[in-house]
Amino acid sequence: MIAIGLDIGSTTTKIAVMEERKLLYTEIVPTGYNVEKTWKELFAATRERLNLEMEMIGGIVSTGYGRNSVDIATRRVTEIMCHAAGIRYSLPGTRSIIDIGGQDSKFIQLGETGEVTDFKMNDKCAAGTGRFLEVMARALESNLEDFGKLSLVAEKAARISSMCTVFAESEVISLIAKGEARENIIAGIHDSIANRMVSMMGRSGVVTPVAMTGGVARNEGIRSALEKKLGISIEVPATAQVNGAVGAASLAS
Amino acid sequence: MLQFLLRERKTAIDGLKGFKKQPLTPKLFGVMAEYTTKSKLAHLNPWRKTGSPTAGFPIEFLLAFDIFPIHPEAYACYAGSAGVTRRPIEEAESQGYSRDLCSYMKTSIGATDMGWPCDFGGVPQPDFYVSANAVCDTHIKWFENEARRHGVPYFGLDIPSHVAGRGDDQDLEREIDYVVAQFFDLIAFLEKQSGKKFSEEKFMRVIGKSQEACALYHEILAYRRCLPAGQYFEFQRLFMLPVAVMWNLDGCIAYYRRVLAELRRRYGDTPPTDLGSREKYRLMWEGITIWYKVDLYYWLAEKGARFVYEQYTDSFGIRRRRTTTFPETLRQIASEIITLPYTLNLEKRIAWMEQKIDEYDIDGVVLHANLSCRPAAAAQQDVKNAIQKSKGIPVLILSADMDDPRSYSDEQVRTRCESFIEMMEARKG
Ligand code: SF4
């Protein structure tokens, strides 16, 4: 039987398709303003591409902030449980997950058998999330793909002290005006996200092995800033960006 | 009120809808209405003095002079339940009160300045203000400032900061002396305000009523374990309000007496040790309730998650010990204020929670990280870590605000609560 996971996040919508717990296919599209239209189109395109009849689908689990809009879901599960399930699938044995998504960041602690034992999420503010990075990339007239690589060649990280996205953006603009090297500013931005994440996690709660998921996990700069601050190495699964959808599909299997 | 209804039709309609959603039984509604009506009448009566105390202030001193206590925090709770606090809070902030300050305070200031009635957070102008720093420092500054703004006298009680539960009674005795000495200053202040002489006899009668109301309240709480789930909810939201603000009103005592009689009739003279109905998820809530979001509790209840115990509710009704002489009573009151349950040291507080987790067979704990009441949200991470470790149950720290809906995001809260429920579900297997 086919199992489908749909992760409708604030920035992107992801789909994962599994057959007998084997991952067959994943896809990511921007969520846009019409959540329902987006997942429906993605679902239809996936079915067409894989020649899936509805009768072949044994379960659909939806997750992410738009999970309740998926009326065909057999179950709706929170991102926390789906990210844990996704990691159990791709990196079994992981004990801590750092997930930085479009508008929220989470830290999930797993027990020995991969069950969720605790979680923390950012509150009330998008600082330290993917949206923060996007705003900074815009201010630096750069794109997110280059961010990670550029920061790795920085001589020293510039200091960005504000937690607020809007104020940090003006700090970045004044650093540009002062002639600070772009790589240094980017490294400073990564540092500020890593600092925020580390304070949310609380050092004592980090049990290794640690994995990182979410779109921001592709950014090597943030991963390395986190690794330095925590003094550990962090695994990034190949399915990092679609980890929630993969977890949802595995729960639907 | 009529003026308000005409002027603020939409707010009034929204507010009435908010009140309607509350888990109010007609009897509890009656006792609350008695308090608001008496506040309004006392204010209108030119021969009756009114004074405004903070929660936890020994109001018996006021009552011994026939001074009616007007509690701004209670009205701020009403406004919160009505779901109309946003405008008063913004009004207060427009006057320069910071976003970080207590939302009861800002609701009260804003609603009063906009001329809203007490059912909607406004405070009928009292003749003076009294407060103490027993619970928080906001109490002192808030009321001092109100007295200044309205040009009326103010009296503040300085309560020593005490960490209870360490067994150093020597300190406590000295602290009691210090507070009792201030009671005499308070009496002198009230004599001046009321133009009356203090009567020990009358004071003792008033104290007797307080002690009766508080004893009844705690006798009722002892039955909570066996009550059907629906009633727990009423406890968490509103049941403590009478004992918080009007423990001397005959209506409050009569109400609690009736409730206790009913419980005794149903469950016997001593609370049974068995649990009543077993909800899917039995939860403990810690902190002030989220007044404007009664929907959250209904939504959780739909998912089978009900709050069956709160330390906060249990912390009210402190006048539990009977006293007979005037000097003994003064010392007892001083001791009760100094050692309020929230002054317990962290280990004792955690131990208290752990004991209740066992007694009430709790599946999970929600700690309200209340953005505007930091005293009520202190040390939550330590509490969480300790309970997760000792009891192995999930503990959720929920960031919100008791009266300020701007600090609440439905989607964020629901995602956290759903994940929390999923964790409890996974534990049950
Ligand atoms: S800060 Fe807390 S204790 Fe103090 S007045 Fe506000 S709600 Fe009450």
Side-chain angles (χ1 to χ4, degrees):
Chain A
M1 263 320 210
I2 296 287
I4 292 192
L6 265 168
D7 177 2
I8 302 159
S10 58
T11 315
T12 54
T13 293
K14 287 82 72 175
I15 194 166
V17 182
M18 280 188 179
E19 185 170 22
E20 309 307 333
R21 294 194 57 80
K22 199 170 152 285
L23 188 60
L24 292 185
Y25 177 77
T26 63
E27 183 60 276
I28 306 172
V29 295
T31 299
Y33 71 93
N34 190 338
V35 173
E36 212 170 312
K37 184 166 170 265
T38 305
W39 76 253
K40 280 188 173 156
E41 283 178 3
L42 178 62
F43 182 68
T46 306
R47 276 184 57 202
E48 198 179 312
R49 195 167 171 161
L50 302 180
N51 284 323
L52 293 178
E53 297 300 329
M54 273 316 260
E55 307 77 69
M56 296 160 72
I57 303 171
I60 302 172
V61 168
S62 63
T63 187
Y65 96 100
R67 65 184 173 279
N68 291 325
S69 71
V70 183
D71 49 6
I72 52 166
T74 40
R75 240 174 102 196
R76 295 177 183 96
V77 181
T78 63
E79 300 92 295
I80 302 288
M81 294 297 149
C82 286
H83 275 279
I87 275 295
R88 280 199 299 272
Y89 178 81
S90 54
L91 291 174
T94 298
R95 296 294 302 276
S96 307
I97 307 172
I98 298 169
D99 172 75
I100 307 185
Q103 263 176 34
D104 59 33
S105 41
K106 322 173 189 55
F107 173 57
I108 307 169
Q109 287 165 287
L110 306 176
E112 278 166 17
T113 52
E115 81 284 6
V116 176
T117 55
D118 199 6
F119 68 90
K120 285 182 184 158
M121 291 173 90
N122 65 316
D123 274 308
K124 316 275 175 278
C125 170
T129 65
R131 187 57 52 90
F132 179 82
L133 269 181
E134 268 173 37
V135 172
M136 298 308 142
R138 199 180 54 208
L140 284 162
E141 292 175 7
S142 172
N143 64 52
L144 280 174
E145 278 65 47
D146 297 337
F147 247 50
K149 287 185 194 75
L150 281 171
S151 70
L152 296 179
V153 296
E155 277 173 23
K156 66 166 183 28
R159 216 180 127 77
I160 316 273
S161 46
S162 182
M163 280 288 184
C164 161
T165 309
V166 178
F167 291 159
E169 186 181 12
S170 48
E171 264 188 78
V172 165
I173 291 167
S174 69
L175 285 167
I176 299 170
K178 274 189 210 143
E180 183 67 70
R182 189 198 277 208
E183 308 81 77
N184 295 353
I185 301 177
I186 296 173
I189 291 166
H190 291 167
D191 258 7
S192 101
I193 293 184
N195 284 338
R196 196 174 161 91
M197 211 49 222
V198 169
S199 65
M200 184 173 96
M201 288 151 68
R203 279 160 212 273
S204 56
V206 185
V207 181
T208 54
V210 180
M212 192 169 164
T213 61
V216 175
R218 288 176 305 160
N219 180 321
E220 298 152 59
I222 296 212
R223 176 169 57 151
S224 103
L226 276 165
E227 285 181 330
K228 262 190 227 141
K229 285 187 200 306
L230 294 167
I232 52 169
S233 76
I234 297 175
E235 292 278 325
V236 177
T239 48
Q241 202 182 354
V242 288
N243 182 58
V246 170
S250 83
L251 291 174
S253 296
Chain B
M1 183 71 171
L2 194 64
Q3 258 182 351
F4 169 75
L5 290 176
L6 294 173
R7 199 165 25 99
E8 299 274 359
R9 227 173 124 240
K10 186 168 177 322
T11 307
I13 292 171
D14 288 349
L16 293 175
K17 281 189 199 152
F19 288 137
K20 241 183 102 191
K21 278 200 263 173
Q22 301 305 315
L24 264 173
T25 56
K27 281 179 196 151
L28 184 53
F29 176 77
V31 83
M32 302 304 295
E34 183 191 349
Y35 177 63
T36 38
T37 311
K38 285 198 167 161
S39 312
K40 289 174 194 166
L41 291 176
H43 172 64
L44 292 174
N45 182 344
W47 296 281
R48 183 101 196 250
K49 290 276 178 192
T50 58
S52 197
T54 44
F57 191 89
I59 55 168
E60 293 89 346
F61 288 102
L62 277 67
L63 292 160
F65 287 96
D66 281 326
I67 297 168
F68 191 85
I70 288 186
H71 282 279
E73 285 147 287
Y75 307 139
C77 296
Y78 290 178
S81 307
V84 298
T85 51
R86 180 187 288 259
R87 275 183 54 211
I89 289 175
E90 284 173 355
E91 163 66 27
E93 286 176 0
S94 76
Q95 294 179 24
Y97 295 95
S98 152
R99 171 111 206 214
D100 297 328
L101 290 168
C102 168
S103 54
Y104 281 169
M105 175 183 133
K106 285 184 292 182
T107 300
S108 180
I109 290 176
T112 307
D113 289 2
M114 292 194 298
W116 287 12
C118 53
D119 327 59
F120 288 80
V123 178
Q125 179 57 56
D127 296 304
F128 60 85
Y129 291 84
V130 285
S131 69
N133 52 350
V135 185
C136 70
D137 291 332
T138 303
H139 278 167
I140 291 282
K141 283 296 154 200
W142 170 7
F143 277 42
E144 206 179 23
N145 183 47
E146 282 299 85
R148 181 189 57 79
R149 281 180 358 115
H150 298 290
V152 295
Y154 168 75
F155 183 93
L157 276 178
D158 180 32
I159 309 298
S161 162
H162 181 90
V163 182
R166 293 183 310 193
D168 41 5
D169 292 347
Q170 212 49 45
D171 277 356
L172 183 59
E173 288 306 309
R174 271 201 304 274
E175 288 162 4
I176 290 174
D177 292 342
Y178 176 64
V179 173
V180 168
Q182 294 178 63
F183 286 162
F184 289 99
D185 296 338
L186 173 62
I187 290 170
F189 171 82
L190 294 172
E191 283 184 333
K192 191 166 163 212
Q193 299 311 315
S194 65
K196 291 183 185 168
K197 280 272 358 114
F198 178 68
S199 153
E200 279 183 22
E201 202 187 310
K202 186 153 186 201
F203 176 77
M204 289 305 289
R205 268 204 312 275
V206 171
I207 279 288
K209 282 193 188 178
S210 293
Q211 290 172 342
E212 182 175 357
C214 294
L216 283 167
Y217 177 72
H218 284 281
E219 273 185 77
I220 294 168
L221 287 190
Y223 279 89
R224 266 193 81 175
R225 289 178 70 242
C226 58
L227 292 183
Q231 286 192 20
Y232 295 134
F233 183 45
E234 182 189 299
F235 272 99
Q236 192 209 0
R237 298 281 296 181
L238 302 162
F239 196 76
M240 85 264 167
L241 279 179
V243 86
V245 296
M246 50 192 153
W247 50 23
N248 295 92
L249 291 186
D250 293 332
C252 165
I253 295 175
Y255 169 65
Y256 284 144
R257 267 200 203 132
R258 269 200 308 270
V259 173
L260 185 61
E262 172 62 19
L263 290 172
R264 285 190 173 140
R265 195 183 57 73
R266 233 192 289 165
Y267 301 105
D269 281 351
T270 42
T273 46
D274 303 344
L275 287 176
S277 54
R278 181 59 166 97
E279 299 73 29
K280 200 165 173 200
Y281 307 112
R282 294 172 66 85
L283 306 181
M284 180 190 279
W285 173 274
E286 174 46 13
I288 304 178
T289 187
I290 303 173
W291 289 111
Y292 49 87
K293 262 296 160 197
V294 69
D295 296 348
L296 168 69
Y297 304 95
Y298 287 127
W299 175 77
L300 283 166
E302 265 171 39
K303 299 192 170 295
R306 296 241 187 209
F307 292 100
V308 299
Y309 180 79
E310 317 81 38
Q311 233 174 11
Y312 185 74
T313 316
D314 211 350
S315 302
F316 278 84
I318 54 171
R319 235 26 115 247
R320 291 160 80 172
R321 221 192 102 219
R322 290 272 177 189
T323 50
T324 45
T325 67
F326 180 61
E328 180 202 5
T329 303
L330 291 188
R331 292 194 77 73
Q332 178 62 25
I333 297 178
S335 158
E336 285 160 355
I337 302 178
I338 298 167
T339 61
L340 284 171
Y342 274 89
T343 62
L344 264 188
N345 75 4
L346 194 56
E347 282 140 47
K348 287 271 162 59
R349 226 178 104 201
I350 291 169
W352 174 11
M353 285 178 112
E354 287 170 340
Q355 183 199 334
K356 295 296 174 188
I357 287 168
D358 293 340
E359 265 178 37
Y360 282 76
D361 194 19
I362 300 282
D363 299 308
V365 180
V366 179
L367 305 174
H368 177 195
N370 190 340
L371 290 174
S372 73
C373 180
R374 299 325 284 167
Q380 286 182 328
Q381 190 60 47
D382 298 299
V383 172
K384 174 179 162 130
N385 293 346
I387 289 175
Q388 286 189 161
K389 197 163 165 219
S390 66
K391 297 290 164 199
I393 57 173
V395 179
L396 176 71
I397 297 183
L398 200 63
S399 172
D401 188 291
M402 67 219 170
D403 235 18
D404 188 347
R406 299 168 311 170
S407 301
Y408 185 95
S409 150
D410 243 327
E411 188 48 44
Q412 285 195 351
V413 170
R414 288 191 181 208
T415 299
R416 282 153 183 73
C417 288
E418 279 183 20
S419 304
F420 175 65
I421 290 173
E422 285 167 351
M423 282 170 73
M424 289 190 289
E425 195 172 292
R427 271 192 85 242
K428 285 178 186 254

